[in-house]
Short mmCIF file of all heavy atoms in Angstrom, two decimals:
data_model
loop_
_atom_site.label_atom_id
_atom_site.label_comp_id
_atom_site.label_asym_id
_atom_site.label_seq_id
_atom_site.Cartn_x
_atom_site.Cartn_y
_atom_site.Cartn_z
N MET U 1 -142.78 43.56 -23.24
CA MET U 1 -143.81 44.16 -22.35
C MET U 1 -143.85 43.27 -21.06
O MET U 1 -143.80 42.06 -21.06
CB MET U 1 -145.17 44.09 -23.11
CG MET U 1 -146.26 44.55 -22.33
SD MET U 1 -146.72 46.07 -22.90
CE MET U 1 -147.89 46.56 -21.66
N LEU U 2 -144.03 43.99 -19.94
CA LEU U 2 -144.03 43.19 -18.69
C LEU U 2 -145.42 42.68 -18.52
O LEU U 2 -146.43 43.31 -18.71
CB LEU U 2 -143.77 44.31 -17.64
CG LEU U 2 -143.54 43.79 -16.19
CD1 LEU U 2 -142.48 42.67 -16.12
CD2 LEU U 2 -143.27 44.93 -15.23
N ASN U 3 -145.44 41.31 -18.12
CA ASN U 3 -146.77 40.70 -17.91
C ASN U 3 -146.94 40.35 -16.43
O ASN U 3 -146.45 39.36 -16.06
CB ASN U 3 -146.86 39.42 -18.86
CG ASN U 3 -148.17 38.80 -18.85
OD1 ASN U 3 -149.26 39.47 -18.46
ND2 ASN U 3 -148.23 37.55 -19.26
N ILE U 4 -147.60 41.31 -15.86
CA ILE U 4 -147.85 41.09 -14.32
C ILE U 4 -149.39 41.07 -14.19
O ILE U 4 -150.07 41.91 -14.61
CB ILE U 4 -147.28 42.19 -13.57
CG1 ILE U 4 -145.74 42.46 -13.78
CG2 ILE U 4 -147.61 42.19 -12.00
CD1 ILE U 4 -144.88 41.30 -13.17
N ASN U 5 -149.76 39.99 -13.37
CA ASN U 5 -151.23 39.82 -13.21
C ASN U 5 -151.49 39.67 -11.60
O ASN U 5 -151.66 38.55 -11.17
CB ASN U 5 -151.69 38.51 -13.91
CG ASN U 5 -151.51 38.66 -15.37
OD1 ASN U 5 -152.11 39.63 -15.98
ND2 ASN U 5 -150.91 37.76 -15.95
N PRO U 6 -151.49 40.77 -10.94
CA PRO U 6 -151.71 40.75 -9.52
C PRO U 6 -153.03 40.35 -9.14
O PRO U 6 -153.99 40.58 -9.84
CB PRO U 6 -151.34 42.21 -9.08
CG PRO U 6 -151.76 43.03 -10.26
CD PRO U 6 -151.38 42.21 -11.42
N GLN U 7 -153.13 39.66 -7.98
CA GLN U 7 -154.43 39.43 -7.29
C GLN U 7 -154.49 40.41 -6.15
O GLN U 7 -153.59 40.61 -5.36
CB GLN U 7 -154.45 38.04 -6.79
CG GLN U 7 -154.48 37.01 -7.91
CD GLN U 7 -154.36 35.58 -7.25
OE1 GLN U 7 -154.06 35.36 -6.09
NE2 GLN U 7 -154.80 34.49 -8.11
N TYR U 8 -155.55 41.13 -6.05
CA TYR U 8 -155.72 42.17 -5.04
C TYR U 8 -156.34 41.67 -3.75
O TYR U 8 -157.26 40.78 -3.78
CB TYR U 8 -156.53 43.37 -5.59
CG TYR U 8 -155.82 44.04 -6.71
CD1 TYR U 8 -156.27 43.77 -8.07
CD2 TYR U 8 -154.71 44.84 -6.54
CE1 TYR U 8 -155.60 44.35 -9.10
CE2 TYR U 8 -154.07 45.41 -7.64
CZ TYR U 8 -154.52 45.29 -8.83
OH TYR U 8 -153.91 45.77 -9.88
N LEU U 9 -155.79 42.20 -2.64
CA LEU U 9 -156.39 41.82 -1.37
C LEU U 9 -157.29 43.00 -0.99
O LEU U 9 -156.88 44.27 -1.20
CB LEU U 9 -155.31 41.74 -0.33
CG LEU U 9 -154.17 40.67 -0.62
CD1 LEU U 9 -153.04 40.81 0.28
CD2 LEU U 9 -154.82 39.34 -0.72
N VAL U 10 -158.48 42.67 -0.48
CA VAL U 10 -159.41 43.83 -0.22
C VAL U 10 -159.90 43.72 1.25
O VAL U 10 -159.90 42.64 1.82
CB VAL U 10 -160.65 43.72 -1.17
CG1 VAL U 10 -160.31 44.10 -2.52
CG2 VAL U 10 -161.40 42.48 -1.02
N ASP U 11 -160.20 44.84 1.82
CA ASP U 11 -160.73 44.85 3.15
C ASP U 11 -162.24 44.57 3.23
O ASP U 11 -162.77 44.31 2.19
CB ASP U 11 -160.34 46.14 3.96
CG ASP U 11 -160.93 47.36 3.30
OD1 ASP U 11 -161.86 47.30 2.47
OD2 ASP U 11 -160.49 48.49 3.65
N GLU U 12 -162.85 44.70 4.36
CA GLU U 12 -164.25 44.37 4.43
C GLU U 12 -165.17 45.43 3.70
O GLU U 12 -166.32 45.08 3.41
CB GLU U 12 -164.70 44.25 5.93
CG GLU U 12 -164.44 45.48 6.71
CD GLU U 12 -163.06 45.65 7.29
OE1 GLU U 12 -162.23 44.75 7.16
OE2 GLU U 12 -162.76 46.78 7.78
N LYS U 13 -164.53 46.53 3.39
CA LYS U 13 -165.24 47.57 2.57
C LYS U 13 -165.11 47.42 1.15
O LYS U 13 -165.66 48.10 0.29
CB LYS U 13 -164.93 48.97 2.96
CG LYS U 13 -165.15 49.28 4.46
CD LYS U 13 -164.59 50.74 4.80
CE LYS U 13 -164.78 50.96 6.19
NZ LYS U 13 -164.24 52.32 6.58
N GLY U 14 -164.32 46.38 0.80
CA GLY U 14 -164.01 46.16 -0.69
C GLY U 14 -162.92 47.04 -1.25
O GLY U 14 -162.70 47.02 -2.47
N GLU U 15 -162.16 47.76 -0.33
CA GLU U 15 -161.06 48.60 -0.80
C GLU U 15 -159.80 47.79 -0.90
O GLU U 15 -159.45 47.04 0.03
CB GLU U 15 -161.00 49.75 0.12
CG GLU U 15 -162.15 50.75 0.14
CD GLU U 15 -162.02 51.84 1.09
OE1 GLU U 15 -160.91 52.04 1.64
OE2 GLU U 15 -163.01 52.57 1.33
N LYS U 16 -159.08 48.05 -2.01
CA LYS U 16 -157.77 47.27 -2.15
C LYS U 16 -156.85 47.74 -1.06
O LYS U 16 -156.58 48.89 -0.80
CB LYS U 16 -157.20 47.57 -3.59
CG LYS U 16 -158.09 47.11 -4.70
CD LYS U 16 -157.40 47.48 -6.03
CE LYS U 16 -158.40 46.97 -7.11
NZ LYS U 16 -157.84 47.36 -8.51
N THR U 17 -156.20 46.69 -0.42
CA THR U 17 -155.27 46.94 0.63
C THR U 17 -153.89 46.40 0.28
O THR U 17 -152.88 46.69 0.94
CB THR U 17 -155.70 46.38 1.93
OG1 THR U 17 -155.96 45.01 1.82
CG2 THR U 17 -157.02 47.10 2.43
N GLY U 18 -153.83 45.46 -0.69
CA GLY U 18 -152.54 44.93 -1.08
C GLY U 18 -152.66 44.15 -2.41
O GLY U 18 -153.71 44.13 -2.96
N ALA U 19 -151.52 43.63 -2.80
CA ALA U 19 -151.51 42.96 -4.06
C ALA U 19 -150.56 41.73 -3.86
O ALA U 19 -149.70 41.69 -3.13
CB ALA U 19 -151.01 43.85 -5.20
N LEU U 20 -151.07 40.65 -4.57
CA LEU U 20 -150.31 39.40 -4.46
C LEU U 20 -149.68 39.12 -5.81
O LEU U 20 -150.42 39.08 -6.93
CB LEU U 20 -151.33 38.33 -3.99
CG LEU U 20 -150.67 36.89 -3.85
CD1 LEU U 20 -149.60 36.83 -2.76
CD2 LEU U 20 -151.81 35.90 -3.51
N LEU U 21 -148.43 38.73 -5.93
CA LEU U 21 -147.78 38.39 -7.21
C LEU U 21 -147.20 36.87 -7.04
O LEU U 21 -146.87 36.57 -5.94
CB LEU U 21 -146.67 39.29 -7.46
CG LEU U 21 -146.94 40.81 -7.66
CD1 LEU U 21 -145.67 41.58 -7.87
CD2 LEU U 21 -147.90 41.07 -8.75
N SER U 22 -147.13 36.25 -8.26
CA SER U 22 -146.36 35.04 -8.16
C SER U 22 -144.86 35.34 -7.82
O SER U 22 -144.38 36.45 -8.15
CB SER U 22 -146.58 34.27 -9.44
OG SER U 22 -145.81 34.92 -10.50
N ILE U 23 -144.13 34.30 -7.55
CA ILE U 23 -142.65 34.47 -7.24
C ILE U 23 -142.11 34.95 -8.60
O ILE U 23 -141.23 35.80 -8.59
CB ILE U 23 -142.06 33.21 -6.71
CG1 ILE U 23 -142.55 32.99 -5.31
CG2 ILE U 23 -140.53 33.31 -6.77
CD1 ILE U 23 -142.12 34.00 -4.31
N LYS U 24 -142.46 34.24 -9.62
CA LYS U 24 -141.81 34.63 -10.87
C LYS U 24 -142.12 36.08 -11.35
O LYS U 24 -141.20 36.77 -11.83
CB LYS U 24 -142.33 33.64 -12.08
CG LYS U 24 -141.73 33.91 -13.33
CD LYS U 24 -142.29 32.95 -14.44
CE LYS U 24 -141.60 33.22 -15.74
NZ LYS U 24 -142.02 32.27 -16.84
N GLU U 25 -143.32 36.51 -11.14
CA GLU U 25 -143.66 37.96 -11.47
C GLU U 25 -142.90 38.87 -10.52
O GLU U 25 -142.35 39.89 -10.99
CB GLU U 25 -145.25 38.17 -11.27
CG GLU U 25 -146.00 37.53 -12.29
CD GLU U 25 -147.50 37.59 -11.93
OE1 GLU U 25 -147.89 37.65 -10.78
OE2 GLU U 25 -148.33 37.55 -12.92
N TYR U 26 -142.81 38.54 -9.20
CA TYR U 26 -142.08 39.39 -8.31
C TYR U 26 -140.65 39.46 -8.75
O TYR U 26 -140.08 40.48 -8.73
CB TYR U 26 -142.19 38.79 -6.87
CG TYR U 26 -141.33 39.47 -5.87
CD1 TYR U 26 -141.61 40.74 -5.36
CD2 TYR U 26 -140.09 38.91 -5.44
CE1 TYR U 26 -140.84 41.34 -4.50
CE2 TYR U 26 -139.27 39.51 -4.56
CZ TYR U 26 -139.63 40.81 -4.04
OH TYR U 26 -138.85 41.41 -3.22
N GLN U 27 -139.90 38.34 -9.04
CA GLN U 27 -138.52 38.33 -9.40
C GLN U 27 -138.34 39.16 -10.76
O GLN U 27 -137.32 39.93 -10.79
CB GLN U 27 -138.13 36.93 -9.59
CG GLN U 27 -137.95 36.13 -8.34
CD GLN U 27 -137.74 34.69 -8.47
OE1 GLN U 27 -138.00 34.08 -9.55
NE2 GLN U 27 -137.06 34.06 -7.36
N THR U 28 -139.28 38.95 -11.71
CA THR U 28 -139.14 39.80 -12.93
C THR U 28 -139.24 41.25 -12.61
O THR U 28 -138.46 42.05 -13.13
CB THR U 28 -140.21 39.31 -13.93
OG1 THR U 28 -140.10 37.94 -14.13
CG2 THR U 28 -140.24 40.12 -15.10
N LEU U 29 -140.24 41.71 -11.81
CA LEU U 29 -140.39 43.05 -11.45
C LEU U 29 -139.19 43.55 -10.71
O LEU U 29 -138.67 44.67 -10.98
CB LEU U 29 -141.60 43.13 -10.63
CG LEU U 29 -142.15 44.53 -10.29
CD1 LEU U 29 -142.55 45.32 -11.57
CD2 LEU U 29 -143.37 44.48 -9.34
N MET U 30 -138.70 42.81 -9.83
CA MET U 30 -137.38 43.27 -9.05
C MET U 30 -136.24 43.40 -9.96
O MET U 30 -135.48 44.31 -9.86
CB MET U 30 -137.13 42.27 -7.84
CG MET U 30 -138.17 42.35 -6.74
SD MET U 30 -138.49 43.96 -6.18
CE MET U 30 -136.98 44.35 -5.42
N GLN U 31 -136.07 42.48 -10.87
CA GLN U 31 -134.95 42.57 -11.80
C GLN U 31 -135.00 43.80 -12.66
O GLN U 31 -134.02 44.51 -12.97
CB GLN U 31 -134.82 41.35 -12.70
CG GLN U 31 -133.66 41.30 -13.62
CD GLN U 31 -132.36 41.29 -12.81
OE1 GLN U 31 -132.07 40.59 -11.96
NE2 GLN U 31 -131.50 42.30 -13.25
N ARG U 32 -136.18 44.13 -13.19
CA ARG U 32 -136.44 45.37 -14.03
C ARG U 32 -136.22 46.54 -13.23
O ARG U 32 -135.69 47.56 -13.74
CB ARG U 32 -137.85 45.31 -14.62
CG ARG U 32 -138.06 44.17 -15.58
CD ARG U 32 -138.87 44.66 -16.74
NE ARG U 32 -139.04 43.57 -17.72
CZ ARG U 32 -139.78 43.66 -18.81
NH1 ARG U 32 -140.45 44.67 -18.96
NH2 ARG U 32 -139.88 42.57 -19.64
N LEU U 33 -136.66 46.55 -12.01
CA LEU U 33 -136.44 47.67 -11.15
C LEU U 33 -134.88 47.94 -10.95
O LEU U 33 -134.44 49.03 -10.97
CB LEU U 33 -137.07 47.62 -9.81
CG LEU U 33 -136.94 48.59 -8.73
CD1 LEU U 33 -137.37 49.97 -9.44
CD2 LEU U 33 -137.72 48.26 -7.57
N GLU U 34 -134.13 46.90 -10.61
CA GLU U 34 -132.69 46.93 -10.43
C GLU U 34 -132.07 47.47 -11.73
O GLU U 34 -131.11 48.28 -11.74
CB GLU U 34 -132.10 45.62 -10.06
CG GLU U 34 -132.44 45.26 -8.54
CD GLU U 34 -131.96 43.78 -8.31
OE1 GLU U 34 -131.14 43.25 -9.00
OE2 GLU U 34 -132.47 43.23 -7.26
N ASP U 35 -132.51 47.01 -12.88
CA ASP U 35 -131.92 47.40 -14.17
C ASP U 35 -132.13 48.86 -14.44
O ASP U 35 -131.29 49.61 -14.81
CB ASP U 35 -132.56 46.56 -15.36
CG ASP U 35 -132.08 45.17 -15.28
OD1 ASP U 35 -131.18 44.73 -14.62
OD2 ASP U 35 -132.73 44.33 -16.09
N LEU U 36 -133.38 49.37 -14.02
CA LEU U 36 -133.74 50.78 -14.22
C LEU U 36 -132.81 51.63 -13.31
O LEU U 36 -132.27 52.65 -13.69
CB LEU U 36 -135.20 50.98 -13.88
CG LEU U 36 -135.71 52.37 -13.95
CD1 LEU U 36 -135.53 53.01 -15.29
CD2 LEU U 36 -137.16 52.48 -13.57
N GLU U 37 -132.65 51.16 -12.02
CA GLU U 37 -131.82 51.99 -11.07
C GLU U 37 -130.47 52.00 -11.63
O GLU U 37 -129.76 53.12 -11.64
CB GLU U 37 -131.82 51.22 -9.72
CG GLU U 37 -133.17 51.42 -8.97
CD GLU U 37 -133.11 50.59 -7.63
OE1 GLU U 37 -132.40 49.62 -7.57
OE2 GLU U 37 -133.96 51.06 -6.72
N ASP U 38 -129.89 50.86 -12.23
CA ASP U 38 -128.51 50.93 -12.78
C ASP U 38 -128.40 51.94 -13.99
O ASP U 38 -127.46 52.70 -14.02
CB ASP U 38 -128.17 49.50 -13.25
CG ASP U 38 -127.95 48.56 -12.11
OD1 ASP U 38 -127.75 48.95 -10.93
OD2 ASP U 38 -127.91 47.38 -12.44
N MET U 39 -129.47 51.94 -14.83
CA MET U 39 -129.45 52.96 -15.88
C MET U 39 -129.52 54.29 -15.44
O MET U 39 -128.79 55.18 -16.01
CB MET U 39 -130.64 52.57 -16.92
CG MET U 39 -130.44 51.32 -17.66
SD MET U 39 -131.78 51.06 -18.88
CE MET U 39 -133.23 50.81 -17.93
N LEU U 40 -130.29 54.63 -14.42
CA LEU U 40 -130.37 55.99 -14.03
C LEU U 40 -129.09 56.44 -13.33
O LEU U 40 -128.64 57.60 -13.45
CB LEU U 40 -131.48 56.03 -12.91
CG LEU U 40 -132.87 55.96 -13.51
CD1 LEU U 40 -133.89 55.86 -12.41
CD2 LEU U 40 -133.27 57.04 -14.42
N GLU U 41 -128.39 55.46 -12.54
CA GLU U 41 -127.11 55.78 -11.99
C GLU U 41 -126.11 55.99 -13.07
O GLU U 41 -125.23 56.89 -12.94
CB GLU U 41 -126.66 54.74 -11.00
CG GLU U 41 -127.48 54.62 -9.75
CD GLU U 41 -127.05 53.49 -8.81
OE1 GLU U 41 -126.09 52.71 -9.28
OE2 GLU U 41 -127.72 53.26 -7.85
N MET U 42 -126.14 55.31 -14.19
CA MET U 42 -125.20 55.48 -15.21
C MET U 42 -125.41 56.87 -15.94
O MET U 42 -124.55 57.52 -16.23
CB MET U 42 -125.27 54.42 -16.24
CG MET U 42 -124.35 54.58 -17.50
SD MET U 42 -122.66 54.46 -16.98
CE MET U 42 -122.35 52.72 -16.95
N ASP U 43 -126.69 57.14 -16.13
CA ASP U 43 -127.11 58.43 -16.69
C ASP U 43 -126.47 59.66 -15.87
O ASP U 43 -125.89 60.58 -16.38
CB ASP U 43 -128.57 58.65 -16.87
CG ASP U 43 -129.09 57.80 -18.04
OD1 ASP U 43 -128.29 57.39 -18.92
OD2 ASP U 43 -130.31 57.71 -18.15
N ILE U 44 -126.71 59.51 -14.61
CA ILE U 44 -126.12 60.56 -13.64
C ILE U 44 -124.63 60.64 -13.79
O ILE U 44 -124.10 61.70 -13.78
CB ILE U 44 -126.67 60.31 -12.21
CG1 ILE U 44 -128.21 60.49 -12.15
CG2 ILE U 44 -125.97 61.20 -11.27
CD1 ILE U 44 -128.75 60.07 -10.84
N ALA U 45 -123.95 59.44 -13.74
CA ALA U 45 -122.57 59.44 -13.78
C ALA U 45 -122.05 60.16 -15.00
O ALA U 45 -121.10 60.85 -15.04
CB ALA U 45 -122.00 58.02 -13.69
N VAL U 46 -122.67 59.76 -16.19
CA VAL U 46 -122.21 60.35 -17.50
C VAL U 46 -122.50 61.88 -17.53
O VAL U 46 -121.59 62.67 -18.01
CB VAL U 46 -122.97 59.71 -18.65
CG1 VAL U 46 -122.79 60.36 -19.95
CG2 VAL U 46 -122.50 58.20 -18.74
N GLN U 47 -123.58 62.27 -16.93
CA GLN U 47 -123.83 63.75 -16.99
C GLN U 47 -123.00 64.51 -16.07
O GLN U 47 -122.73 65.71 -16.31
CB GLN U 47 -125.35 63.91 -16.52
CG GLN U 47 -126.38 63.44 -17.55
CD GLN U 47 -127.86 63.45 -17.10
OE1 GLN U 47 -128.09 63.89 -15.95
NE2 GLN U 47 -128.77 62.93 -17.85
N THR U 48 -122.59 63.95 -14.93
CA THR U 48 -121.79 64.74 -13.97
C THR U 48 -120.33 64.55 -14.15
O THR U 48 -119.54 65.26 -13.61
CB THR U 48 -122.19 64.30 -12.59
OG1 THR U 48 -121.95 62.94 -12.35
CG2 THR U 48 -123.60 64.67 -12.20
N GLU U 49 -119.90 63.58 -14.87
CA GLU U 49 -118.45 63.27 -15.12
C GLU U 49 -117.91 64.28 -16.09
O GLU U 49 -118.45 64.58 -17.11
CB GLU U 49 -118.18 61.85 -15.68
CG GLU U 49 -116.73 61.52 -15.85
CD GLU U 49 -116.00 61.68 -14.45
OE1 GLU U 49 -116.39 61.14 -13.46
OE2 GLU U 49 -114.83 62.32 -14.54
N THR U 50 -116.71 64.91 -15.69
CA THR U 50 -116.09 65.88 -16.54
C THR U 50 -114.78 65.52 -17.00
O THR U 50 -114.19 66.11 -17.86
CB THR U 50 -116.01 67.24 -15.91
OG1 THR U 50 -115.17 67.08 -14.60
CG2 THR U 50 -117.42 67.82 -15.53
N ASP U 51 -114.16 64.44 -16.35
CA ASP U 51 -112.80 64.04 -16.69
C ASP U 51 -112.68 62.55 -16.82
O ASP U 51 -112.74 61.81 -15.96
CB ASP U 51 -111.79 64.50 -15.60
CG ASP U 51 -110.35 64.27 -15.93
OD1 ASP U 51 -110.02 64.18 -17.13
OD2 ASP U 51 -109.62 63.99 -14.96
N PHE U 52 -112.73 62.08 -18.15
CA PHE U 52 -112.68 60.70 -18.42
C PHE U 52 -111.08 60.34 -18.74
O PHE U 52 -110.38 61.14 -19.35
CB PHE U 52 -113.52 60.40 -19.67
CG PHE U 52 -114.90 60.37 -19.37
CD1 PHE U 52 -115.67 61.51 -19.77
CD2 PHE U 52 -115.59 59.32 -18.78
CE1 PHE U 52 -117.06 61.49 -19.51
CE2 PHE U 52 -116.85 59.31 -18.52
CZ PHE U 52 -117.58 60.43 -18.93
N ARG U 53 -110.68 59.27 -18.25
CA ARG U 53 -109.32 58.76 -18.51
C ARG U 53 -109.34 57.49 -19.23
O ARG U 53 -110.34 56.64 -19.23
CB ARG U 53 -108.70 58.46 -17.01
CG ARG U 53 -108.51 59.69 -16.21
CD ARG U 53 -107.97 59.48 -14.90
NE ARG U 53 -106.80 58.82 -14.90
CZ ARG U 53 -106.22 58.09 -13.84
NH1 ARG U 53 -106.89 58.12 -12.75
NH2 ARG U 53 -105.22 57.36 -13.91
N ASP U 54 -108.36 57.31 -20.08
CA ASP U 54 -108.14 56.18 -20.96
C ASP U 54 -107.98 54.96 -20.10
O ASP U 54 -107.18 55.02 -19.17
CB ASP U 54 -107.04 56.38 -21.92
CG ASP U 54 -106.82 55.26 -22.85
OD1 ASP U 54 -107.92 55.07 -23.73
OD2 ASP U 54 -105.88 54.60 -22.90
N TYR U 55 -108.63 53.87 -20.46
CA TYR U 55 -108.38 52.53 -19.74
C TYR U 55 -106.96 52.19 -19.62
O TYR U 55 -106.53 51.81 -18.44
CB TYR U 55 -109.24 51.51 -20.38
CG TYR U 55 -108.95 50.15 -19.88
CD1 TYR U 55 -109.34 49.69 -18.70
CD2 TYR U 55 -108.08 49.26 -20.57
CE1 TYR U 55 -109.04 48.43 -18.17
CE2 TYR U 55 -107.78 47.97 -20.14
CZ TYR U 55 -108.19 47.61 -18.92
OH TYR U 55 -107.90 46.36 -18.49
N GLN U 56 -106.25 52.33 -20.59
CA GLN U 56 -104.85 51.93 -20.65
C GLN U 56 -104.03 52.74 -19.57
O GLN U 56 -103.20 52.22 -18.90
CB GLN U 56 -104.22 51.97 -21.96
CG GLN U 56 -102.90 51.32 -22.10
CD GLN U 56 -102.93 49.81 -21.77
OE1 GLN U 56 -103.83 49.08 -22.28
NE2 GLN U 56 -101.98 49.29 -21.00
N ASP U 57 -104.28 54.01 -19.54
CA ASP U 57 -103.65 54.94 -18.53
C ASP U 57 -103.96 54.44 -17.13
O ASP U 57 -103.02 54.41 -16.32
CB ASP U 57 -104.04 56.29 -18.68
CG ASP U 57 -103.65 56.91 -20.06
OD1 ASP U 57 -102.63 56.39 -20.63
OD2 ASP U 57 -104.22 58.02 -20.46
N ILE U 58 -105.18 54.16 -16.84
CA ILE U 58 -105.52 53.73 -15.51
C ILE U 58 -104.88 52.29 -15.18
O ILE U 58 -104.37 52.08 -14.05
CB ILE U 58 -107.05 53.56 -15.36
CG1 ILE U 58 -107.70 54.96 -15.56
CG2 ILE U 58 -107.40 52.95 -14.09
CD1 ILE U 58 -109.23 54.94 -15.71
N ARG U 59 -104.87 51.53 -16.16
CA ARG U 59 -104.26 50.14 -15.97
C ARG U 59 -102.77 50.29 -15.72
O ARG U 59 -102.31 49.65 -14.76
CB ARG U 59 -104.49 49.33 -17.14
CG ARG U 59 -104.09 47.85 -17.08
CD ARG U 59 -104.57 46.97 -18.24
NE ARG U 59 -104.34 45.62 -18.08
CZ ARG U 59 -103.13 44.94 -18.13
NH1 ARG U 59 -102.09 45.65 -18.36
NH2 ARG U 59 -103.14 43.71 -17.86
N ASP U 60 -102.11 51.06 -16.42
CA ASP U 60 -100.63 51.28 -16.27
C ASP U 60 -100.41 51.91 -14.90
O ASP U 60 -99.37 51.50 -14.27
CB ASP U 60 -100.16 52.25 -17.35
CG ASP U 60 -100.11 51.64 -18.75
OD1 ASP U 60 -100.20 50.33 -18.88
OD2 ASP U 60 -99.97 52.31 -19.76
N GLU U 61 -101.23 52.81 -14.39
CA GLU U 61 -101.04 53.37 -13.14
C GLU U 61 -101.19 52.36 -12.00
O GLU U 61 -100.48 52.28 -11.05
CB GLU U 61 -102.05 54.54 -12.99
CG GLU U 61 -101.91 55.29 -11.73
CD GLU U 61 -102.94 56.46 -11.60
OE1 GLU U 61 -103.17 57.15 -12.52
OE2 GLU U 61 -103.49 56.54 -10.46
N LEU U 62 -102.23 51.50 -12.17
CA LEU U 62 -102.45 50.48 -11.17
C LEU U 62 -101.34 49.45 -11.19
O LEU U 62 -100.87 49.02 -10.04
CB LEU U 62 -103.79 49.80 -11.41
CG LEU U 62 -105.03 50.54 -11.18
CD1 LEU U 62 -106.24 49.82 -11.65
CD2 LEU U 62 -105.15 50.92 -9.72
N ILE U 63 -100.75 49.20 -12.26
CA ILE U 63 -99.55 48.27 -12.34
C ILE U 63 -98.42 48.86 -11.62
O ILE U 63 -97.73 48.22 -10.81
CB ILE U 63 -99.30 47.89 -13.78
CG1 ILE U 63 -100.34 46.92 -14.32
CG2 ILE U 63 -97.97 47.13 -13.91
CD1 ILE U 63 -100.33 46.62 -15.81
N LYS U 64 -98.15 50.17 -11.98
CA LYS U 64 -96.99 50.81 -11.31
C LYS U 64 -97.19 50.93 -9.81
O LYS U 64 -96.25 50.82 -9.16
CB LYS U 64 -97.04 52.36 -11.88
CG LYS U 64 -95.92 53.14 -11.45
CD LYS U 64 -95.89 54.51 -12.07
CE LYS U 64 -94.71 55.34 -11.50
NZ LYS U 64 -94.73 56.67 -12.20
N GLU U 65 -98.33 51.10 -9.32
CA GLU U 65 -98.63 51.12 -7.88
C GLU U 65 -98.65 49.76 -7.27
O GLU U 65 -98.76 49.60 -6.10
CB GLU U 65 -99.92 51.85 -7.56
CG GLU U 65 -99.91 53.31 -8.01
CD GLU U 65 -101.28 53.98 -7.83
OE1 GLU U 65 -102.17 53.29 -7.43
OE2 GLU U 65 -101.27 55.19 -8.13
N GLY U 66 -98.58 48.65 -8.01
CA GLY U 66 -98.62 47.34 -7.56
C GLY U 66 -99.94 46.86 -7.13
O GLY U 66 -100.16 45.89 -6.36
N LYS U 67 -100.99 47.53 -7.63
CA LYS U 67 -102.39 47.19 -7.24
C LYS U 67 -102.98 46.17 -8.33
O LYS U 67 -104.18 45.76 -8.16
CB LYS U 67 -103.21 48.35 -7.16
CG LYS U 67 -102.76 49.29 -5.99
CD LYS U 67 -103.65 50.54 -5.87
CE LYS U 67 -103.13 51.43 -4.83
NZ LYS U 67 -103.99 52.66 -4.74
N LEU U 68 -102.23 45.87 -9.45
CA LEU U 68 -102.88 45.12 -10.41
C LEU U 68 -101.74 44.07 -10.92
O LEU U 68 -100.59 44.46 -10.97
CB LEU U 68 -103.32 45.88 -11.57
CG LEU U 68 -104.04 45.18 -12.78
CD1 LEU U 68 -105.35 44.51 -12.20
CD2 LEU U 68 -104.42 46.09 -13.84
#
């Protein structure tokens, strides 16, 4: 479970205008966001991919082309 404890910044009317996080909380939040983006991109790639190739075939092709 994510443990974030923001401190809120308020204006003169008492309305929240921002939030303050510790560096550790911010870094944790950013890492989780990046992980989520990676998972969503992987889901999209798997759903849209129609032609998978065997790793060994790709490796052999790259060797033949002198790229590996």
Side-chain angles (χ1 to χ4, degrees):
M1 176 109 191
L2 187 59
N3 187 17
I4 301 290
N5 300 302
Q7 294 178 340
Y8 296 103
L9 306 174
V10 295
D11 63 14
E12 60 278 350
K13 296 177 185 177
E15 296 178 9
K16 293 177 184 176
T17 60
L20 180 65
L21 302 175
S22 71
I23 292 296
K24 184 177 179 179
E25 290 172 331
Y26 172 78
Q27 290 171 336
T28 299
L29 190 59
M30 293 306 296
Q31 184 61 51
R32 292 216 177 176
L33 179 59
E34 289 175 16
D35 292 345
L36 178 59
E37 288 174 334
D38 291 344
M39 287 187 291
L40 291 173
E41 288 176 5
M42 180 61 87
D43 285 346
I44 290 169
V46 168
Q47 291 172 4
T48 58
E49 183 58 48
T50 59
D51 183 32
F52 289 97
R53 294 174 54 198
D54 185 61
Y55 166 77
Q56 192 60 44
D57 293 341
I58 296 170
R59 188 174 190 283
D60 292 344
E61 182 179 318
L62 291 172
I63 289 172
K64 184 178 178 183
E65 294 173 0
K67 296 180 181 177
L68 186 63

